[in-house]
Every structure is written in structure tokens, then in C-alpha cells.
Amino acid sequence: IQTTSCVPQDVKVTLLKGGESGEREISLVSGGACAKALREVGFPVTEIDTKDPDKIQQILDSKPDVVFIALHGKDGEDGCVQGLCELMRVPYTGPGVLASALAMDKTRAKAFYRAHGLPTPPAVTLNRGDEYDVEEIIESLGGKCVVKPAREGSSLGVSIVNDPAALDEAIQAAFECDSIVLVERFIKGTEVTVAVLGNTEFEALPVIEIVPSETGEFYDFEEKYSAGGATHIIPARISDEETKACMENAIGAHRALGCVGVSRTDLMVGEDGTCWVIETNTIPGMTPTSLLPDTASRVGISFNDLCKMMVELALDDSAADERGALSGGSAAMGRARFSIGGTAMSRTCPRAVVLR
């Protein structure tokens, strides 16, 4: 992967964490872990909780060489703080303003997936105040649906429903989280996720299979972050052809949205072998139970090295170039490399490892 190698002691990092979204507590954990890792590598780190009213002045006073964004959800993952960094002319980790905003808005992300030929489940978009007919929605999408706020993360407000009465209730619950709701066809199959690294040359890390606990129906907030939650199986128990398709589609999603640095795309491998793109996360969790650190460790990238790599990707000139390029331009021409059988980035991954 093309990065700008740096001497950590010479690079001042300002790390943003916390914020005021529904994912604040997770962001504090992610930010704390990343700050510790960066300091261990040698970076001088200033930590700022963006819930503080004087956060902008704090950022200015810290005089950063790079901003490490460890925020999740609204105001942190949706392009807002990325726009602030752009105005300050300071490099920052992760995708730019447009890619972040698109990925955060699941309805618009779907439009870009489709435009780039990526399979994504059929869905209906509802706006608060609009009239809708649950029977028509079910007729269009099938008897089992997934209801989700369009612009929330960590599966907040997400429901899986089987009948009209439950569908209406789930839609109203989702409207409590957002003014736009996505109702999506439920895909029966294997739930997986694939992390992608790179600005113009992309690396897909090993596919992770996500198995909810006995009490969980899907990978919701509790399954993500609670002890005893979902099990991660690396590499996923899918065929080589499906593994290849998942990696290709994750890289395709990274390209379609114009991502740089890192992203993680969630997919469902249907019973017919179709690898459906569900959504893309532009600031994946970095907690002890998070998916990105798990899969990176399987190809020999330690947590500390991963954090350092994210800083180096942010400092590389190609990050700024690609953030300014329209989707389908030079970002879409980046070379993709991936591998089958659990190997990626020229490092060896065992065929099946179960992490709990």
C-alpha cells in the first residue's frame, strides 16, 4: 500500500473522540485505544472530546500535523468534521467529506453501489411525514424486511420484521432516530464484512464471518460491543468463489463512494451465492471487540501498526488528491489486490480461526 513513511516523534497527532452521537461511548473507547497505540509507537498525541463547546479552538491550539478521527455516527462520520479539517488544511484519517456523507446515508450509498454495478438488496425509502402502505412495501420487498434509520451507525434503530403490524411499528421506531428510513429486503444467508485499506491501490483484508450469539438475531449494537456477543470467524466459512466476490465487492464499494484510507463494508452472502453489499463504514470501530483490528491481526498487522498505517495513509499526498477527485475518476482507477484462502498483503492467515 502506498503511504508516506514518517518518524512518529516528528508528527503531532490530534485525536478526536466522543462527540454527541448515539455512538459516543463507543467512540470514547475507540479513541482511547487508538491514542494509547499511537503514543506507544512514538507519536505525540493530543486527545479532544468534540462534545466540548470549544473543540475548534482546542484543535487550533494543538497545531496538529494530522487529525486522527475516532468519532462514530453523526457529526463525526458523516462529513462534518472532515469538512472542518479541509477548511483548516490539515490532513486527517479516513475518507473525505463526500465519501463520508454518502456512506453515512444508506439510501444514497445504495444509488452509488448500483451505479457501479454492485449488487445491493432492493429497498424502499421513506421520509418522515410521508404516507406509506405497509402491505405495498411487503408486496414489493417480500415478507421479511430490515428496517433501519438511513443515517445512523452501529445498527442503532435497526429491526428485522416478518408481518405488517410489526413493520409499521419498526418504521415508527426508526423515525425516532432519523427523518429518513430505509426498508430493505431481508437476505437470508451468511453475514460477513470486509475491510479495505488504501488510497489509490487497495488491499482487501480477510473476510470475517459474523455469527450472532444464541440470543441475538443479527449483528446489532449489543452483539457488536458487549462481552459474549457475536463470534468472529476468520476467514469466513464460505467458498473461495464467494470469498473472492466479497473482496471484489468491498473494494468496489470503497471505490464507488470514493473512499481513501480505510473502510469496512458489510455484506450478506445469499443462499444462491450472491454477495450483496449492505453498507460501508468509513470509520470502523477500534475497540477490543471490533472487526477491523481482528482481521488486520490475522495478516500480521498489530493494533499499533494499524493505527500508524492510518496516519501514514492520511499524510500521503494521494489521500488529498483522491478526496478531491469525483467518484469514477482517478479513485476508480486504483489497482486492487486481494487473495483467496485467507492470505492478504503477502501475509499468511490460517484457514479458520474462531475469535470470541
Side-chain angles (χ1 to χ4, degrees), residues 1-321:
I1 297 175
Q2 178 184 344
T3 64
T4 293
S5 181
C6 66
V7 178
Q9 290 78 5
D10 296 337
V11 179
K12 290 187 293 184
V13 177
T14 294
L15 184 141
L16 307 183
K17 64 180 183 178
E20 299 184 78
S21 78
E23 301 174 73
R24 169 178 169 77
E25 296 305 318
I26 303 306
S27 172
L28 289 171
V29 176
S30 285
C34 293
K36 180 176 181 290
L38 291 167
R39 288 191 179 104
E40 289 177 354
V41 172
F43 291 100
V45 180
T46 299
E47 297 177 62
I48 296 174
D49 186 341
T50 60
K51 186 178 182 180
D52 295 343
D54 62 344
K55 52 185 171 289
I56 295 177
Q57 188 60 52
Q58 289 184 47
I59 297 171
L60 291 169
D61 291 344
S62 69
K63 298 180 180 178
D65 295 309
V66 63
V67 172
F68 193 108
I69 302 175
L71 297 164
H72 302 311
K74 292 178 180 178
D75 294 335
E77 203 166 356
D78 57 3
C80 289
V81 76
Q82 290 79 8
L84 175 62
C85 292
E86 293 282 356
L87 289 172
M88 295 172 61
R89 302 294 189 266
V90 178
Y92 55 93
T93 57
V97 177
L98 178 59
S100 299
L102 287 172
M104 191 69 181
D105 189 325
K106 299 173 183 65
T107 60
R108 287 169 173 80
K110 274 183 170 288
F112 275 71
Y113 297 151
R114 293 191 186 101
H116 284 253
L118 298 170
T120 189
V124 172
T125 300
L126 303 174
N127 292 278
R128 185 183 289 144
D130 287 354
E131 293 185 1
Y132 60 86
D133 187 319
V134 293
E135 295 289 353
E136 289 183 2
I137 293 173
I138 289 176
E139 183 178 350
S140 172
L141 301 179
K144 194 169 186 178
C145 301
V146 183
V147 181
K148 57 185 79 172
R151 298 166 295 190
E152 276 289 1
S154 288
S155 301
L156 292 170
V158 175
S159 305
I160 296 178
V161 297
N162 294 283
D163 61 79
L167 176 57
D168 188 51
E169 183 179 341
I171 290 171
Q172 293 308 311
F175 273 133
E176 294 180 6
C177 299
D178 194 0
S179 61
I180 304 175
V181 168
L182 189 71
V183 185
E184 187 176 69
R185 177 179 296 168
F186 176 82
I187 303 297
K188 185 177 181 181
T190 304
E191 188 172 3
V192 302
T193 192
V194 182
V196 175
L197 298 173
N199 295 336
T200 57
E201 184 174 298
F202 309 121
E203 298 276 3
L205 298 182
V207 181
I208 305 178
E209 179 182 349
I210 301 166
V211 182
S213 65
E214 293 181 1
T215 59
E217 184 176 6
F218 67 101
Y219 197 49
D220 62 7
F221 189 88
E222 293 301 319
E223 291 288 318
K224 282 179 167 74
Y225 302 116
S226 299
T231 298
H232 306 167
I233 300 177
I234 311 172
R237 298 170 298 181
I238 55 179
S239 70
D240 285 353
E241 291 76 15
E242 290 165 343
T243 297
K244 178 181 177 181
C246 285
M247 287 177 156
E248 287 179 333
N249 288 354
I251 290 173
H254 190 89
R255 285 174 166 170
L257 300 177
C259 293
V260 296
V262 62
S263 71
R264 201 200 75 232
T265 293
D266 301 332
L267 306 99
M268 287 294 299
V269 181
E271 294 180 325
D272 64 352
T274 301
C275 299
W276 299 91
V277 175
I278 304 300
E279 62 183 77
T280 299
N281 302 275
T282 54
I283 306 181
M286 296 288 278
T287 74
T289 59
S290 294
L291 296 158
L292 174 57
D294 270 358
T295 187
S297 71
R298 293 294 142 182
V299 292
I301 304 175
S302 69
F303 188 84
N304 288 10
D305 288 341
L306 177 61
C307 291
K308 182 174 184 285
M309 182 181 295
M310 291 170 68
V311 169
E312 291 179 337
L313 284 166
L315 290 172
D316 193 85
D317 289 341
S318 63
D321 292 343

